Amino acid sequence: MDALLSLIFHSEEEELYILDRMAYLMVFMAACTFLSLLFENVPYGRYATSKYGFPVNVKFAWFVQELPSFLLPVCLVVWASCSKTSRLANQLLIAMFLCHYVQRALIYPFLIRGGKATPFLSFFLAFVFCIYNGFMQVRYLSHYAEYPAYWVTHPCFIIGSVLWLVGWLINLHSDRILRNLRKPGETGYKIPRGGMFEYVSGANFLGEITEWAGFALAGHSVHSAAFAIFTAVVLSSRAVAHHKWYLAKFEDYPKSRKALIPFLF
């Protein structure tokens, strides 16, 4: 792995410079994505359309597109020089990232029941993003991120870690509710109830946004912040779209339920 990295980057200074620029580019990508989502929803799930390419089986798509965010970080930690992985803060932040993607890549796809096929373009872009982000996050954390010895007891790290855990649990619980909406043999859409769905239409999205916002607070870097911003842009747009769709689809949809932020929005 070191030999490959040495072919791509001529020095550690150059690699860190590129990692920083990747984070800034992700923020720019988030701004562009925000503008594009004002006109069209991300084309997967209920918004899938054939104009974005041939359909890819939903389980296969989720498994393959998310896998780089697990495999690439593992390869970086196991086979590349990692000067910072002996430090507790770095270890915990890498563990947060991997914990999410173990579930998202190796467990979640195989629990999906039914589900519309994913257009190839959406699948391909998600795959590229997971390579890009998986490398940026874990290469920075494993080899460059410098935290003071007291960082794990700093309020930013503690609050961020708690937010990450709460968001992760909300995301898992909300996905479970969505999976169990339909009984075996049933088709069509139903109103999700229970958990944070009692307050917002996008409970699963709220969980993931909270999760990565906590990761960014604990990580305290432009790299983790860029990921949190990108996630918030994409998933908040999807939450709003779902909320509008539910209101139009179901006459008895709870009027007090908000799109993403309980009691507010």
Side-chain angles (χ1 to χ4, degrees):
M1 197 73 178
D2 284 332
L4 177 60
L5 291 172
S6 66
L7 289 174
I8 300 172
F9 308 107
H10 295 105
S11 66
E12 290 191 348
E13 291 75 16
E14 180 186 24
E15 184 178 25
L16 180 57
Y17 177 85
I18 295 298
L19 288 170
D20 290 346
R21 294 307 174 273
M22 287 174 70
Y24 296 134
L25 179 58
M26 185 177 285
V27 175
F28 176 73
M29 289 163 52
C32 294
T33 301
F34 173 79
L35 293 175
S36 68
L37 291 176
L38 294 176
F39 304 99
E40 188 161 5
N41 296 314
V42 178
Y44 72 91
R46 68 192 64 179
Y47 311 110
T49 170
S50 60
K51 74 177 182 178
Y52 290 103
F54 61 86
V56 180
N57 176 272
V58 65
K59 290 187 177 183
F60 177 84
W62 273 105
F63 171 66
V64 173
Q65 75 189 30
E66 303 294 315
L67 195 58
S69 282
F70 169 70
L71 286 183
L72 187 53
V74 169
C75 290
L76 288 170
V77 170
V78 174
W79 289 305
S81 297
C82 299
S83 61
K84 308 301 181 187
T85 50
S86 62
R87 303 184 181 187
L88 182 58
N90 301 63
Q91 292 172 351
L92 292 173
L93 288 162
I94 292 171
M96 291 179 199
F97 190 84
L98 288 177
C99 185
H100 175 89
Y101 281 104
V102 164
Q103 198 281 333
R104 186 59 76 192
L106 304 181
I107 299 173
Y108 173 79
F110 305 102
L111 296 176
I112 294 174
R113 298 178 181 177
K116 289 187 176 180
T118 302
F120 178 78
L121 182 59
S122 296
F123 160 70
F124 177 74
L125 291 177
F127 178 76
V128 171
F129 179 84
C130 284
I131 294 174
Y132 184 103
N133 188 56
F135 175 79
M136 180 180 73
Q137 300 298 336
V138 175
R139 183 57 178 167
Y140 176 73
L141 287 170
S142 66
H143 199 60
Y144 294 103
E146 291 273 4
Y147 298 104
Y150 63 80
W151 185 246
V152 294
T153 60
H154 191 282
C156 285
F157 189 88
I158 294 171
I159 295 170
S161 299
V162 170
L163 284 174
W164 178 86
L165 180 60
V166 169
W168 185 66
L169 292 174
I170 290 173
N171 187 243
L172 291 183
H173 185 241
S174 301
D175 281 345
R176 183 176 180 276
I177 289 173
L178 291 173
R179 278 197 306 274
N180 292 295
L181 279 178
R182 291 188 290 266
K183 296 177 182 177
E186 288 185 332
T187 58
Y189 290 96
K190 291 186 175 182
I191 298 173
R193 301 186 188 278
M196 290 303 295
F197 281 113
E198 295 299 316
Y199 305 98
V200 295
S201 298
N204 49 333
F205 306 132
L206 171 62
E208 192 158 348
I209 290 171
T210 302
E211 186 181 347
W212 296 122
F215 179 76
L217 182 59
H220 228 63
S221 71
V222 66
H223 313 84
S224 56
F227 183 30
I229 291 169
F230 191 90
T231 299
V233 166
V234 173
L235 297 187
S236 60
S237 171
R238 199 157 180 85
V240 170
H242 273 32
H243 187 66
K244 292 178 180 178
W245 186 91
Y246 279 126
L247 287 171
K249 178 80 172 177
F250 300 102
E251 292 183 0
D252 59 338
Y253 195 72
K255 298 298 185 288
S256 61
R257 192 178 294 186
K258 301 299 181 182
L260 184 64
I261 302 174
F263 313 113
L264 296 176
F265 169 73

